[in-house]
Amino acid sequence: MHRRTALSVSTALLLAAPLLSACSGEARPGTAAVVGGERITTAALQAQVNDVRAAQNRSGQSAAELIASTPNLERQKLDSMLQSRVIDKMAATAGITVSEKEIQDEHKAYVDDNKGAEQFEALLLQKGAMAPGQVDRFLRDRVLLTKLTAKYGNGKLEEPARAAAKALHIEVNPRYGAWDVQQIKLGAGETPWITQRTRPEQAPAGA
């Protein structure tokens, strides 16, 4: 298999708590996450979700199957956005940059390996829930990850990734899950935040 056909659901590919609350105990309205002091708005997240759903609906007979395969699309897209921010931070710390030509070259290589742009975009939609307009960000991540791997070594990105994520002070609106510090990704979370606040802790069964 060519290296550019091995796509996973996460944009980061190589990267394998609810803190977003105000003093009143309510999640900040209109904010999906805060990364490095900058907001990812719910509107920006929803725009990415809408782009993917539109692309899935254009896919013809496989539309229903694609939509059914991504029931947690909001969380998936937010995770991709967070992973991209972590990659950017890793690259900045390492002094690594990417040029437009490198992104174009990566795109050409993927297109060639997948026998055309249409097949490449279809693969991204199927395996990574990415709309055509989200391809450039995916390619940028891939180029940066290749350079980061060259700097740190194969299988040695976990430590710099954790350091980058820690420096970004990632906070996630609990409606989308919880940031997993150990796994460096967005997890499902336990229960709705308001439920955690009001429901008394139950003893384990058989206790």
Side-chain angles (χ1 to χ4, degrees):
M1 177 184 291
H2 295 298
R3 72 177 181 88
R4 292 183 177 85
T5 59
L7 306 179
S8 76
V9 170
S10 173
T11 299
L13 303 182
L14 297 182
L15 298 181
L19 301 174
L20 233 168
S21 58
C23 293
S24 63
E26 303 233 349
R28 297 177 193 170
T31 300
V34 176
V35 186
E38 297 183 358
R39 295 169 67 228
I40 295 177
T41 66
T42 54
L45 173 59
Q46 193 58 49
Q48 289 222 1
V49 171
N50 291 344
D51 286 346
V52 173
R53 290 300 188 212
Q56 290 174 331
N57 280 313
R58 290 194 301 268
S59 64
Q61 293 182 342
S62 61
E65 183 179 344
L66 286 174
I67 292 171
S69 70
T70 52
N72 299 312
L73 185 57
E74 282 188 335
R75 186 187 304 153
Q76 185 174 338
K77 296 311 297 181
L78 181 57
D79 186 44
S80 293
M81 296 168 82
L82 294 173
Q83 295 276 353
S84 290
R85 300 293 180 90
V86 171
I87 293 170
D88 283 343
K89 181 64 175 176
M90 292 169 66
T93 300
I96 291 172
T97 60
V98 58
S99 68
E100 188 62 33
K101 184 179 185 303
E102 287 174 313
I103 293 175
Q104 292 173 354
D105 289 345
E106 189 79 351
H107 183 266
K108 183 180 185 304
Y110 270 109
V111 167
D112 290 346
D113 282 353
N114 290 281
K115 301 179 181 179
E118 185 175 343
Q119 288 84 346
F120 171 46
E121 290 181 358
L123 185 64
L124 280 177
L125 183 62
Q126 179 185 6
K127 299 295 186 181
M130 277 177 264
Q134 298 164 6
V135 172
D136 280 355
R137 177 70 246 199
F138 166 79
L139 295 170
R140 177 183 174 83
D141 288 345
R142 292 305 305 161
V143 174
L144 288 175
L145 285 169
T146 297
K147 291 185 175 185
L148 286 164
T149 299
K151 177 179 178 63
Y152 293 110
N154 286 323
K156 296 182 179 179
L157 293 185
E158 187 172 331
E159 184 176 339
R162 283 206 180 113
K166 182 177 180 180
L168 289 171
H169 302 290
I170 296 172
E171 304 177 44
V172 176
N173 188 321
R175 72 175 279 192
Y176 302 109
W179 180 251
D180 189 323
V181 177
Q182 294 302 313
Q183 296 296 319
I184 321 170
K185 67 179 183 179
L186 185 60
E190 295 299 324
T191 58
W193 185 72
I194 189 67
T195 303
Q196 292 177 0
R197 293 272 300 185
T198 59
R199 181 178 298 171
E201 188 173 316
Q202 297 181 355

PDB file of all heavy atoms in Angstrom, residues 110-137:
ATOM      1  N   TYR A 110      -0.431  12.626  -3.381  1.00  0.00           N
ATOM      2  CA  TYR A 110      -1.636  11.907  -2.962  1.00  0.00           C
ATOM      3  C   TYR A 110      -2.551  11.625  -4.145  1.00  0.00           C
ATOM      4  O   TYR A 110      -3.103  10.527  -4.274  1.00  0.00           O
ATOM      5  CB  TYR A 110      -2.405  12.710  -1.917  1.00  0.00           C
ATOM      6  CG  TYR A 110      -2.021  12.431  -0.491  1.00  0.00           C
ATOM      7  CD1 TYR A 110      -1.328  13.378   0.260  1.00  0.00           C
ATOM      8  CD2 TYR A 110      -2.359  11.228   0.126  1.00  0.00           C
ATOM      9  CE1 TYR A 110      -0.984  13.133   1.584  1.00  0.00           C
ATOM     10  CE2 TYR A 110      -2.022  10.971   1.435  1.00  0.00           C
ATOM     11  CZ  TYR A 110      -1.328  11.933   2.160  1.00  0.00           C
ATOM     12  OH  TYR A 110      -0.996  11.673   3.466  1.00  0.00           O
ATOM     13  N   VAL A 111      -2.732  12.618  -4.991  1.00  0.00           N
ATOM     14  CA  VAL A 111      -3.604  12.454  -6.160  1.00  0.00           C
ATOM     15  C   VAL A 111      -3.063  11.359  -7.070  1.00  0.00           C
ATOM     16  O   VAL A 111      -3.812  10.500  -7.552  1.00  0.00           O
ATOM     17  CB  VAL A 111      -3.739  13.786  -6.923  1.00  0.00           C
ATOM     18  CG1 VAL A 111      -4.380  13.571  -8.295  1.00  0.00           C
ATOM     19  CG2 VAL A 111      -4.575  14.770  -6.104  1.00  0.00           C
ATOM     20  N   ASP A 112      -1.745  11.375  -7.287  1.00  0.00           N
ATOM     21  CA  ASP A 112      -1.124  10.352  -8.144  1.00  0.00           C
ATOM     22  C   ASP A 112      -1.273   8.964  -7.530  1.00  0.00           C
ATOM     23  O   ASP A 112      -1.581   7.993  -8.230  1.00  0.00           O
ATOM     24  CB  ASP A 112       0.357  10.669  -8.360  1.00  0.00           C
ATOM     25  CG  ASP A 112       0.578  11.898  -9.239  1.00  0.00           C
ATOM     26  OD1 ASP A 112      -0.401  12.340  -9.891  1.00  0.00           O
ATOM     27  OD2 ASP A 112       1.709  12.410  -9.264  1.00  0.00           O
ATOM     28  N   ASP A 113      -1.051   8.863  -6.223  1.00  0.00           N
ATOM     29  CA  ASP A 113      -1.130   7.567  -5.555  1.00  0.00           C
ATOM     30  C   ASP A 113      -2.550   7.015  -5.532  1.00  0.00           C
ATOM     31  O   ASP A 113      -2.753   5.797  -5.453  1.00  0.00           O
ATOM     32  CB  ASP A 113      -0.614   7.677  -4.117  1.00  0.00           C
ATOM     33  CG  ASP A 113       0.904   7.701  -4.041  1.00  0.00           C
ATOM     34  OD1 ASP A 113       1.550   7.501  -5.083  1.00  0.00           O
ATOM     35  OD2 ASP A 113       1.434   7.935  -2.951  1.00  0.00           O
ATOM     36  N   ASN A 114      -3.539   7.906  -5.561  1.00  0.00           N
ATOM     37  CA  ASN A 114      -4.939   7.481  -5.490  1.00  0.00           C
ATOM     38  C   ASN A 114      -5.661   7.570  -6.833  1.00  0.00           C
ATOM     39  O   ASN A 114      -6.889   7.555  -6.870  1.00  0.00           O
ATOM     40  CB  ASN A 114      -5.668   8.302  -4.423  1.00  0.00           C
ATOM     41  CG  ASN A 114      -5.222   7.940  -3.028  1.00  0.00           C
ATOM     42  OD1 ASN A 114      -5.644   6.933  -2.471  1.00  0.00           O
ATOM     43  ND2 ASN A 114      -4.342   8.748  -2.447  1.00  0.00           N
ATOM     44  N   LYS A 115      -4.884   7.692  -7.901  1.00  0.00           N
ATOM     45  CA  LYS A 115      -5.418   7.648  -9.272  1.00  0.00           C
ATOM     46  C   LYS A 115      -6.430   8.752  -9.557  1.00  0.00           C
ATOM     47  O   LYS A 115      -7.479   8.523 -10.153  1.00  0.00           O
ATOM     48  CB  LYS A 115      -6.044   6.277  -9.549  1.00  0.00           C
ATOM     49  CG  LYS A 115      -5.058   5.128  -9.396  1.00  0.00           C
ATOM     50  CD  LYS A 115      -5.713   3.775  -9.661  1.00  0.00           C
ATOM     51  CE  LYS A 115      -4.708   2.656  -9.484  1.00  0.00           C
ATOM     52  NZ  LYS A 115      -5.309   1.313  -9.701  1.00  0.00           N
ATOM     53  N   GLY A 116      -6.093   9.956  -9.078  1.00  0.00           N
ATOM     54  CA  GLY A 116      -6.916  11.100  -9.416  1.00  0.00           C
ATOM     55  C   GLY A 116      -7.443  11.859  -8.221  1.00  0.00           C
ATOM     56  O   GLY A 116      -7.593  11.309  -7.124  1.00  0.00           O
ATOM     57  N   ALA A 117      -7.728  13.144  -8.432  1.00  0.00           N
ATOM     58  CA  ALA A 117      -8.215  14.008  -7.356  1.00  0.00           C
ATOM     59  C   ALA A 117      -9.564  13.546  -6.828  1.00  0.00           C
ATOM     60  O   ALA A 117      -9.831  13.606  -5.626  1.00  0.00           O
ATOM     61  CB  ALA A 117      -8.298  15.452  -7.855  1.00  0.00           C
ATOM     62  N   GLU A 118     -10.430  13.091  -7.728  1.00  0.00           N
ATOM     63  CA  GLU A 118     -11.766  12.664  -7.303  1.00  0.00           C
ATOM     64  C   GLU A 118     -11.696  11.478  -6.359  1.00  0.00           C
ATOM     65  O   GLU A 118     -12.380  11.434  -5.331  1.00  0.00           O
ATOM     66  CB  GLU A 118     -12.616  12.317  -8.521  1.00  0.00           C
ATOM     67  CG  GLU A 118     -14.055  11.990  -8.189  1.00  0.00           C
ATOM     68  CD  GLU A 118     -14.908  11.762  -9.416  1.00  0.00           C
ATOM     69  OE1 GLU A 118     -14.490  12.163 -10.525  1.00  0.00           O
ATOM     70  OE2 GLU A 118     -15.995  11.171  -9.269  1.00  0.00           O
ATOM     71  N   GLN A 119     -10.846  10.512  -6.688  1.00  0.00           N
ATOM     72  CA  GLN A 119     -10.695   9.337  -5.827  1.00  0.00           C
ATOM     73  C   GLN A 119     -10.051   9.712  -4.495  1.00  0.00           C
ATOM     74  O   GLN A 119     -10.424   9.171  -3.439  1.00  0.00           O
ATOM     75  CB  GLN A 119      -9.847   8.270  -6.537  1.00  0.00           C
ATOM     76  CG  GLN A 119     -10.553   7.570  -7.683  1.00  0.00           C
ATOM     77  CD  GLN A 119     -10.451   8.367  -8.986  1.00  0.00           C
ATOM     78  OE1 GLN A 119     -10.094   9.547  -8.999  1.00  0.00           O
ATOM     79  NE2 GLN A 119     -10.762   7.709 -10.088  1.00  0.00           N
ATOM     80  N   PHE A 120      -9.106  10.640  -4.541  1.00  0.00           N
ATOM     81  CA  PHE A 120      -8.440  11.085  -3.313  1.00  0.00           C
ATOM     82  C   PHE A 120      -9.440  11.773  -2.384  1.00  0.00           C
ATOM     83  O   PHE A 120      -9.507  11.476  -1.180  1.00  0.00           O
ATOM     84  CB  PHE A 120      -7.297  12.031  -3.666  1.00  0.00           C
ATOM     85  CG  PHE A 120      -6.664  12.722  -2.493  1.00  0.00           C
ATOM     86  CD1 PHE A 120      -6.317  12.022  -1.340  1.00  0.00           C
ATOM     87  CD2 PHE A 120      -6.391  14.082  -2.543  1.00  0.00           C
ATOM     88  CE1 PHE A 120      -5.723  12.665  -0.255  1.00  0.00           C
ATOM     89  CE2 PHE A 120      -5.807  14.723  -1.470  1.00  0.00           C
ATOM     90  CZ  PHE A 120      -5.472  14.022  -0.331  1.00  0.00           C
ATOM     91  N   GLU A 121     -10.246  12.666  -2.930  1.00  0.00           N
ATOM     92  CA  GLU A 121     -11.243  13.360  -2.112  1.00  0.00           C
ATOM     93  C   GLU A 121     -12.300  12.401  -1.578  1.00  0.00           C
ATOM     94  O   GLU A 121     -12.764  12.549  -0.443  1.00  0.00           O
ATOM     95  CB  GLU A 121     -11.886  14.480  -2.930  1.00  0.00           C
ATOM     96  CG  GLU A 121     -10.933  15.639  -3.201  1.00  0.00           C
ATOM     97  CD  GLU A 121     -11.580  16.761  -3.995  1.00  0.00           C
ATOM     98  OE1 GLU A 121     -12.772  16.617  -4.369  1.00  0.00           O
ATOM     99  OE2 GLU A 121     -10.905  17.782  -4.234  1.00  0.00           O
ATOM    100  N   ALA A 122     -12.656  11.414  -2.384  1.00  0.00           N
ATOM    101  CA  ALA A 122     -13.632  10.416  -1.930  1.00  0.00           C
ATOM    102  C   ALA A 122     -13.071   9.603  -0.772  1.00  0.00           C
ATOM    103  O   ALA A 122     -13.786   9.267   0.187  1.00  0.00           O
ATOM    104  CB  ALA A 122     -14.021   9.500  -3.083  1.00  0.00           C
ATOM    105  N   LEU A 123     -11.779   9.284  -0.831  1.00  0.00           N
ATOM    106  CA  LEU A 123     -11.134   8.527   0.239  1.00  0.00           C
ATOM    107  C   LEU A 123     -11.084   9.345   1.529  1.00  0.00           C
ATOM    108  O   LEU A 123     -11.357   8.828   2.621  1.00  0.00           O
ATOM    109  CB  LEU A 123      -9.725   8.124  -0.186  1.00  0.00           C
ATOM    110  CG  LEU A 123      -8.953   7.228   0.791  1.00  0.00           C
ATOM    111  CD1 LEU A 123      -9.624   5.879   0.954  1.00  0.00           C
ATOM    112  CD2 LEU A 123      -7.512   7.051   0.323  1.00  0.00           C
ATOM    113  N   LEU A 124     -10.753  10.627   1.398  1.00  0.00           N
ATOM    114  CA  LEU A 124     -10.718  11.486   2.574  1.00  0.00           C
ATOM    115  C   LEU A 124     -12.100  11.611   3.209  1.00  0.00           C
ATOM    116  O   LEU A 124     -12.237  11.608   4.432  1.00  0.00           O
ATOM    117  CB  LEU A 124     -10.212  12.882   2.194  1.00  0.00           C
ATOM    118  CG  LEU A 124      -8.704  13.057   2.031  1.00  0.00           C
ATOM    119  CD1 LEU A 124      -8.396  14.485   1.590  1.00  0.00           C
ATOM    120  CD2 LEU A 124      -7.969  12.739   3.318  1.00  0.00           C
ATOM    121  N   LEU A 125     -13.115  11.716   2.379  1.00  0.00           N
ATOM    122  CA  LEU A 125     -14.477  11.830   2.893  1.00  0.00           C
ATOM    123  C   LEU A 125     -14.890  10.554   3.605  1.00  0.00           C
ATOM    124  O   LEU A 125     -15.492  10.590   4.680  1.00  0.00           O
ATOM    125  CB  LEU A 125     -15.444  12.132   1.746  1.00  0.00           C
ATOM    126  CG  LEU A 125     -16.910  12.348   2.137  1.00  0.00           C
ATOM    127  CD1 LEU A 125     -17.061  13.552   3.050  1.00  0.00           C
ATOM    128  CD2 LEU A 125     -17.766  12.514   0.880  1.00  0.00           C
ATOM    129  N   GLN A 126     -14.535   9.416   3.022  1.00  0.00           N
ATOM    130  CA  GLN A 126     -14.930   8.128   3.581  1.00  0.00           C
ATOM    131  C   GLN A 126     -14.149   7.795   4.847  1.00  0.00           C
ATOM    132  O   GLN A 126     -14.725   7.370   5.861  1.00  0.00           O
ATOM    133  CB  GLN A 126     -14.734   7.022   2.553  1.00  0.00           C
ATOM    134  CG  GLN A 126     -15.092   5.636   3.074  1.00  0.00           C
ATOM    135  CD  GLN A 126     -14.784   4.539   2.068  1.00  0.00           C
ATOM    136  OE1 GLN A 126     -14.207   4.794   1.012  1.00  0.00           O
ATOM    137  NE2 GLN A 126     -15.152   3.322   2.378  1.00  0.00           N
ATOM    138  N   LYS A 127     -12.832   7.976   4.815  1.00  0.00           N
ATOM    139  CA  LYS A 127     -11.985   7.538   5.923  1.00  0.00           C
ATOM    140  C   LYS A 127     -11.750   8.616   6.973  1.00  0.00           C
ATOM    141  O   LYS A 127     -11.513   8.301   8.141  1.00  0.00           O
ATOM    142  CB  LYS A 127     -10.622   7.075   5.390  1.00  0.00           C
ATOM    143  CG  LYS A 127     -10.690   5.905   4.424  1.00  0.00           C
ATOM    144  CD  LYS A 127     -11.199   4.661   5.108  1.00  0.00           C
ATOM    145  CE  LYS A 127     -11.125   3.461   4.178  1.00  0.00           C
ATOM    146  NZ  LYS A 127     -11.640   2.226   4.809  1.00  0.00           N
ATOM    147  N   GLY A 128     -11.788   9.880   6.559  1.00  0.00           N
ATOM    148  CA  GLY A 128     -11.463  10.951   7.495  1.00  0.00           C
ATOM    149  C   GLY A 128     -12.552  11.966   7.716  1.00  0.00           C
ATOM    150  O   GLY A 128     -12.338  12.934   8.448  1.00  0.00           O
ATOM    151  N   ALA A 129     -13.722  11.769   7.101  1.00  0.00           N
ATOM    152  CA  ALA A 129     -14.838  12.710   7.232  1.00  0.00           C
ATOM    153  C   ALA A 129     -14.375  14.125   6.911  1.00  0.00           C
ATOM    154  O   ALA A 129     -14.640  15.079   7.650  1.00  0.00           O
ATOM    155  CB  ALA A 129     -15.458  12.638   8.619  1.00  0.00           C
ATOM    156  N   MET A 130     -13.656  14.274   5.787  1.00  0.00           N
ATOM    157  CA  MET A 130     -13.157  15.572   5.365  1.00  0.00           C
ATOM    158  C   MET A 130     -13.797  15.994   4.058  1.00  0.00           C
ATOM    159  O   MET A 130     -13.815  15.221   3.092  1.00  0.00           O
ATOM    160  CB  MET A 130     -11.634  15.532   5.200  1.00  0.00           C
ATOM    161  CG  MET A 130     -10.875  15.722   6.484  1.00  0.00           C
ATOM    162  SD  MET A 130      -9.104  15.570   6.234  1.00  0.00           S
ATOM    163  CE  MET A 130      -8.865  13.854   6.684  1.00  0.00           C
ATOM    164  N   ALA A 131     -14.304  17.216   4.022  1.00  0.00           N
ATOM    165  CA  ALA A 131     -14.867  17.793   2.811  1.00  0.00           C
ATOM    166  C   ALA A 131     -13.726  18.301   1.933  1.00  0.00           C
ATOM    167  O   ALA A 131     -12.617  18.534   2.419  1.00  0.00           O
ATOM    168  CB  ALA A 131     -15.815  18.929   3.166  1.00  0.00           C
ATOM    169  N   PRO A 132     -13.973  18.495   0.631  1.00  0.00           N
ATOM    170  CA  PRO A 132     -12.911  18.980  -0.258  1.00  0.00           C
ATOM    171  C   PRO A 132     -12.237  20.256   0.241  1.00  0.00           C
ATOM    172  O   PRO A 132     -11.021  20.417   0.106  1.00  0.00           O
ATOM    173  CB  PRO A 132     -13.654  19.208  -1.580  1.00  0.00           C
ATOM    174  CG  PRO A 132     -14.738  18.190  -1.558  1.00  0.00           C
ATOM    175  CD  PRO A 132     -15.189  18.125  -0.124  1.00  0.00           C
ATOM    176  N   GLY A 133     -12.999  21.156   0.839  1.00  0.00           N
ATOM    177  CA  GLY A 133     -12.423  22.401   1.323  1.00  0.00           C
ATOM    178  C   GLY A 133     -11.521  22.243   2.534  1.00  0.00           C
ATOM    179  O   GLY A 133     -10.853  23.203   2.940  1.00  0.00           O
ATOM    180  N   GLN A 134     -11.493  21.070   3.115  1.00  0.00           N
ATOM    181  CA  GLN A 134     -10.666  20.804   4.294  1.00  0.00           C
ATOM    182  C   GLN A 134      -9.386  20.053   3.961  1.00  0.00           C
ATOM    183  O   GLN A 134      -8.590  19.730   4.843  1.00  0.00           O
ATOM    184  CB  GLN A 134     -11.494  20.014   5.319  1.00  0.00           C
ATOM    185  CG  GLN A 134     -12.712  20.780   5.810  1.00  0.00           C
ATOM    186  CD  GLN A 134     -13.747  19.917   6.505  1.00  0.00           C
ATOM    187  OE1 GLN A 134     -13.541  18.730   6.749  1.00  0.00           O
ATOM    188  NE2 GLN A 134     -14.901  20.500   6.811  1.00  0.00           N
ATOM    189  N   VAL A 135      -9.178  19.812   2.672  1.00  0.00           N
ATOM    190  CA  VAL A 135      -8.030  19.010   2.230  1.00  0.00           C
ATOM    191  C   VAL A 135      -6.708  19.729   2.497  1.00  0.00           C
ATOM    192  O   VAL A 135      -5.727  19.110   2.925  1.00  0.00           O
ATOM    193  CB  VAL A 135      -8.156  18.638   0.740  1.00  0.00           C
ATOM    194  CG1 VAL A 135      -6.875  17.989   0.229  1.00  0.00           C
ATOM    195  CG2 VAL A 135      -9.330  17.696   0.531  1.00  0.00           C
ATOM    196  N   ASP A 136      -6.648  21.046   2.251  1.00  0.00           N
ATOM    197  CA  ASP A 136      -5.389  21.773   2.418  1.00  0.00           C
ATOM    198  C   ASP A 136      -4.882  21.692   3.852  1.00  0.00           C
ATOM    199  O   ASP A 136      -3.678  21.568   4.095  1.00  0.00           O
ATOM    200  CB  ASP A 136      -5.550  23.234   2.008  1.00  0.00           C
ATOM    201  CG  ASP A 136      -5.475  23.436   0.500  1.00  0.00           C
ATOM    202  OD1 ASP A 136      -5.211  22.439  -0.212  1.00  0.00           O
ATOM    203  OD2 ASP A 136      -5.689  24.569   0.043  1.00  0.00           O
ATOM    204  N   ARG A 137      -5.791  21.746   4.830  1.00  0.00           N
ATOM    205  CA  ARG A 137      -5.365  21.649   6.220  1.00  0.00           C
ATOM    206  C   ARG A 137      -4.807  20.257   6.505  1.00  0.00           C
ATOM    207  O   ARG A 137      -3.792  20.112   7.203  1.00  0.00           O
ATOM    208  CB  ARG A 137      -6.552  21.950   7.142  1.00  0.00           C
ATOM    209  CG  ARG A 137      -6.270  21.823   8.622  1.00  0.00           C
ATOM    210  CD  ARG A 137      -5.350  22.930   9.135  1.00  0.00           C
ATOM    211  NE  ARG A 137      -4.059  22.433   9.581  1.00  0.00           N
ATOM    212  CZ  ARG A 137      -3.244  23.116  10.380  1.00  0.00           C
ATOM    213  NH1 ARG A 137      -3.587  24.312  10.817  1.00  0.00           N
ATOM    214  NH2 ARG A 137      -2.082  22.609  10.734  1.00  0.00           N
TER     215      ARG A 137
END
